[in-house]
Amino acid sequence: MEKTEPKKDRSVDARILSYEEYRKALFQLHVGLVKLQEWVVQSGSKVCIVFEGRDGVGKGGTIKAITERMRQHNA
């Protein structure tokens, strides 16, 4: 079977990341999420986050981790 090039019109970067690049990107995203959580707590704002992805990719665990952290601040 012949390999095909990734489509150029995707809204996400379709290149393959090394493990180190992946971990760095994941860490940066995590930092951004924590900053968002702190802003929500400090400002009292309400936020709606939409999670997309196939079954079994960790959406439920991520949602649980976020809501547990937010509950701690509201207790």
Side-chain angles (χ1 to χ4, degrees), residues 7-48:
K7 294 181 182 178
K8 301 294 183 191
D9 61 347
R10 289 186 181 176
S11 61
V12 296
D13 189 355
R15 68 186 178 91
I16 302 296
L17 297 176
S18 70
Y19 182 74
E20 184 177 315
E21 291 172 318
Y22 167 77
R23 296 298 297 177
K24 184 177 179 180
L26 185 63
F27 179 77
Q28 291 171 344
L29 291 169
H30 188 199
V31 168
L33 181 58
V34 171
K35 287 180 180 180
L36 173 65
Q37 288 174 320
E38 292 300 322
W39 175 78
V40 168
V41 170
Q42 295 298 320
S43 68
S45 297
K46 296 182 192 267
V47 176
C48 176

Side-chain angles (χ1 to χ4, degrees), residues 55-75:
D55 288 347
V57 296
K59 295 180 305 289
T62 302
I63 293 167
K64 183 178 179 183
I66 291 170
T67 55
E68 284 178 355
R69 182 170 164 82
M70 296 307 291
R71 283 191 201 123
Q72 291 173 358
H73 286 289
N74 291 331

